[in-house]
Amino acid sequence: MSSDERLIAEIAALRKERNAVILAHNYQPGIIQDIADLTSDSLELSRKARETNADVIVFCGVHFMAETAAILNPDKVVVLPNASAGCAMADMITARDVVRIREDYPGVPIVTYVNSTAEVKAESTVCCTSANVNRVVASFKEEPALYLIPDQNLALYAARHTDKTIHYWKGYCPIHHRLTAETVRRARDAHPDALFVAHPECRPEVLDLADVVTSTSGMLRFAKASSHRSFLIGTETGILHALRRDNPDKVFYPVSTEMVCPDMKKTTLADIARSLETLTPRVHVPEEIRLKALRAVERMLQI
Ligand code: 13P
Ligand code: SF4
C-alpha cells in the first residue's frame, strides 16, 4: 500500500466516524478532488454547505470558502485542512473600506463577490459568485447603480450585461489578472481548432477573445455538452483534472501553464486526515459578524 492509499483509507474511516462531508473546489489538486464528496464552484459549494446533514464540513479550498460554510452552519464544525490557504483577492479590501464606500455612495447597494472575508460580507448588501453575478445585478430592479467589490474584472464583466451604472473596487485575482490578450492570441494560434473558455475574473480584453465566459462549474457543464472536441481553458489549471476526467474523448489545453493559485494547491491528504482526526484548524466566525454576513449570503442564495 502506498502512503497515499493509506491516507485515503484513513480518511474514508474517519469521514464515517465523524459523519463528515468533504467539499472541494474545482481548483484543488486532482487527488483531493477525487476523494471529495463534492467538487464544484463557489456557488454550488455554498448551496451544498447549507443543505448538508453532516456534523463536520471539511472544506478543501481557501479560507473565504470555509468561512462561508461556517456562516451558513453555526452548529457544525467547519475545518480548513490547511489554515494558511488564503485568497490574495479577498485580502485586497477590508470592512473599513466597505464602510467608506457606503458613506461615499449613499443608498447604492454593495454587491460582494464571495471571494471576500466575513467582515466584508457583513458590511455588504448581497453576495454573488462568478456563476450568478448577472442574476444578482438584475435582481435590483429599481436601483440605477450598484457598487461591486472586490474584483474589478468581475465588475466590468457584469457591467457588460446591464444598463445600470456599475461602480467597482479595483481588486483582482493575481492568477487571472496576469493573463494577457497577447498570451491568449499565441495559444489560439497554437490551437486554432480549440474553443477558448474564460473565467470572468480575466481582464476585459481577454474576455473579448473568449467563445464562452463562465464559472468553473459552468466550464465543466459547457465542455460536456459541447460537440466541439478541443478547448483552451482560461482559468486556474486545477480544473483541467475534472475536465479531462469527465471528457476522455476531448482535449483541453491550459491557455497559460502559469495560471496556478498557490493557495489552492496547499491542501494535502495528510492535512485532511489530520483535520478529521483533530477537528482543526476550525473556522469560526464571531456571531455578530456571522449574522450580518449571513444576510448577504442568504439573499444571494435566494436569487
Ligand atoms: P468559481 O469556482 O466560483 O468560478 O470561482 C473561482 C475562484 O476564483 C475561486 O477562488
Ligand atoms: Fe483567490 Fe484567485 Fe486563488 Fe481564487 S484563484 S483563491 S480568486 S487568488
Side-chain angles (χ1 to χ4, degrees):
M1 217 190 212
S2 72
S3 68
D4 278 358
E5 285 167 343
R6 241 194 324 274
L7 283 165
I8 290 169
E10 203 179 308
I11 289 167
L14 283 164
R15 169 168 27 197
K16 229 185 202 161
E17 197 180 301
R18 294 289 196 194
N19 186 27
V21 66
I22 301 178
L23 305 180
H25 187 263
N26 288 322
Y27 295 159
Q28 286 288 290
I31 198 160
I32 306 297
Q33 295 189 31
D34 290 344
I35 61 125
D37 295 298
L38 175 75
T39 301
S40 197
D41 66 5
S42 311
L43 181 60
E44 285 175 50
L45 290 172
S46 305
R47 289 216 176 101
K48 183 73 185 178
R50 185 173 61 167
E51 289 158 11
T52 183
N53 292 321
D55 298 319
V56 176
I57 299 173
V58 179
F59 216 113
C60 303
V62 294
H63 191 266
F64 75 78
M65 295 180 171
E67 212 176 40
T68 305
I71 290 167
L72 289 161
N73 292 284
D75 301 330
K76 295 191 199 310
V77 174
V78 179
V79 289
L80 178 67
N82 187 314
S84 71
C87 169
M89 169 155 61
D91 293 340
M92 289 180 186
I93 191 164
T94 65
R96 238 179 137 78
D97 293 326
V98 189
V99 171
R100 231 172 279 135
I101 291 169
R102 271 219 311 271
E103 285 164 9
D104 293 347
Y105 294 82
V108 174
I110 298 178
V111 179
T112 298
Y113 196 19
V114 285
N115 299 30
S116 54
T117 62
E119 288 82 358
V120 165
K121 289 182 177 76
E123 298 298 335
S124 308
T125 314
V126 64
C127 286
C128 73
T129 73
S130 63
N132 65 12
V133 60
N134 292 327
R135 263 180 289 144
V136 171
V137 167
S139 74
F140 288 90
K141 301 229 176 339
E142 308 298 328
E143 289 77 357
L146 301 173
Y147 200 116
L148 265 66
I149 61 171
D151 186 9
Q152 57 182 289
N153 292 323
L154 190 75
L156 291 166
Y157 165 71
R160 291 175 172 199
H161 294 88
T162 180
D163 293 335
K164 297 181 192 301
T165 302
I166 302 291
H167 304 286
Y168 57 92
W169 192 253
K170 291 213 173 142
Y172 55 88
C173 163
I175 286 84
H176 289 83
H177 198 63
R178 77 164 82 103
L179 177 64
T180 63
E182 185 46 38
T183 300
V184 177
R185 274 190 212 100
R186 261 188 272 123
R188 290 209 92 149
D189 288 347
H191 304 289
D193 295 333
L195 288 182
F196 174 48
V197 186
H199 194 277
E201 287 176 19
C202 295
R203 291 167 181 268
E205 61 269 29
V206 165
L207 299 189
D208 285 341
L209 300 173
D211 296 295
V212 179
V213 178
T214 186
S215 73
T216 56
S217 285
M219 290 182 187
L220 289 166
R221 281 191 293 273
F222 173 75
K224 207 161 198 177
S226 174
S227 56
H228 224 82
R229 300 198 56 79
S230 60
F231 304 85
L232 262 177
I233 302 300
T235 194
E236 212 276 347
T237 56
I239 195 160
L240 292 163
H241 176 79
L243 284 166
R244 288 171 178 153
R245 183 198 56 208
D246 294 353
N247 305 278
D249 55 332
K250 296 177 182 173
V251 192
F252 300 93
Y253 308 100
V255 71
S256 158
T257 52
E258 285 172 21
M259 293 184 78
V260 178
C261 173
D263 286 276
M264 280 287 181
K265 301 297 179 253
K266 286 181 174 170
T267 324
T268 64
L269 290 174
D271 290 337
I272 297 174
R274 199 180 326 107
S275 282
L276 281 164
E277 176 81 55
T278 62
L279 298 183
T280 63
R282 189 160 173 185
V283 176
H284 179 76
V285 182
E287 191 60 7
E288 195 194 325
I289 292 167
R290 188 190 75 79
L291 288 173
K292 286 173 79 186
L294 182 65
R295 277 204 312 251
V297 176
E298 283 286 11
R299 182 163 175 176
M300 167 186 82
L301 292 172
Q302 276 155 23
I303 289 168

